[in-house]
């Protein structure tokens, strides 16, 4: 069983960061299309995509958004966090074999009567440091079991 670092609601602080990185492959794009049913030829058809402004196939934007989910669920704040919402802006295309880095930073924490809600800045960059996806997530961090 894997070891996970859980950042509980009583430990979470504004300014805390987490990072997740992954290479996006042609196979990832094909699997994503299979899972979601999004077979847009921009992502799946070399001939079609070659005639577009991108001159070839690109990854679905939601793959980078999925990587944000991976960062929130495994790095910041980690397992047990509940993903409540996300705003997204897709700034650049993601090409096959781009290495994406997700950076998540806690920017705000709101105390509710029985839980906390955290706002997290989410930025995804490629291997050249260019922003490909950015936005803001809201999460409910894991709460310690009461004994």
């Amino acid at each position: 069983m894997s070891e996970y670092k859980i950042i509980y609601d009583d430990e979470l602080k504004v300014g805390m960061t987490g990072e997740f990185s992954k290479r996006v492959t042609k196979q990832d794009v094909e699997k994503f299309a299979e899972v979601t049913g999004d077979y847009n030829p921009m992502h799946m058809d070399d001939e079609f995509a070659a005639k577009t402004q991108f001159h070839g196939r690109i990854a679905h934007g939601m793959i980078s958004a999925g990587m944000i989910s991976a960062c929130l669920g495994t790095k910041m704040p980690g397992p047990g966090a509940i993903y409540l919402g996300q705003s997204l802006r897709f700034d650049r295309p993601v090409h096959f074999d781009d290495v994406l880095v997700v950076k998540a930073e806690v920017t705000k924490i709101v105390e509710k009567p029985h839980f906390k809600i955290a706002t997290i800045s989410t930025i995804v960059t490629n291997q050249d440091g260019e922003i490909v996806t950015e936005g803001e997530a809201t999460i409910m961090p894991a709460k310690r079991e009461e004994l």
Side-chain angles (χ1 to χ4, degrees):
M1 184 172 165
S2 298
E3 283 289 319
Y4 293 107
K5 170 69 173 123
I6 301 172
I7 300 171
Y8 291 100
D9 64 345
D10 61 344
E11 301 170 308
L12 196 65
K13 305 281 184 248
V14 170
M16 292 179 93
T17 62
E19 199 170 286
F20 176 83
S21 180
K22 182 187 181 327
R23 178 181 304 277
V24 177
T25 66
K26 178 180 176 183
Q27 292 78 17
D28 292 332
V29 171
E30 291 169 353
K31 288 178 189 175
F32 187 87
E34 184 179 326
V35 168
T36 63
D38 182 354
Y39 289 97
N40 180 337
M42 192 69 241
H43 310 300
M44 306 303 294
D45 184 325
D46 289 319
E47 189 176 317
F48 175 90
K51 297 173 186 170
T52 70
Q53 68 270 32
F54 300 114
H55 309 289
R57 290 168 58 187
I58 59 172
H60 302 76
M62 293 307 288
I63 289 177
S64 62
M67 290 176 58
I68 292 170
S69 177
C71 186
L72 298 175
T74 65
K75 305 295 182 185
M76 175 52 60
I82 304 299
Y83 204 169
L84 301 174
Q86 176 80 49
S87 67
L88 291 170
R89 186 172 69 237
F90 301 105
D91 296 325
R92 284 187 172 73
V94 173
H95 300 279
F96 299 157
D97 294 319
D98 277 358
V99 176
L100 301 185
V101 177
V102 179
K103 293 181 182 171
E105 180 177 352
V106 180
T107 58
K108 181 179 174 184
I109 300 173
V110 175
E111 302 266 350
K112 299 287 186 178
H114 301 289
F115 58 92
K116 292 180 181 180
I117 300 290
T119 301
I120 300 179
S121 166
T122 57
I123 298 174
V124 183
T125 56
N126 63 20
Q127 66 279 350
D128 298 321
E130 300 168 321
I131 295 174
V132 298
T133 306
E134 59 186 314
E136 190 173 79
T138 53
I139 59 100
M140 184 170 51
K143 191 173 177 87
R144 291 184 195 275
E145 279 189 50
E146 296 183 17
L147 302 175

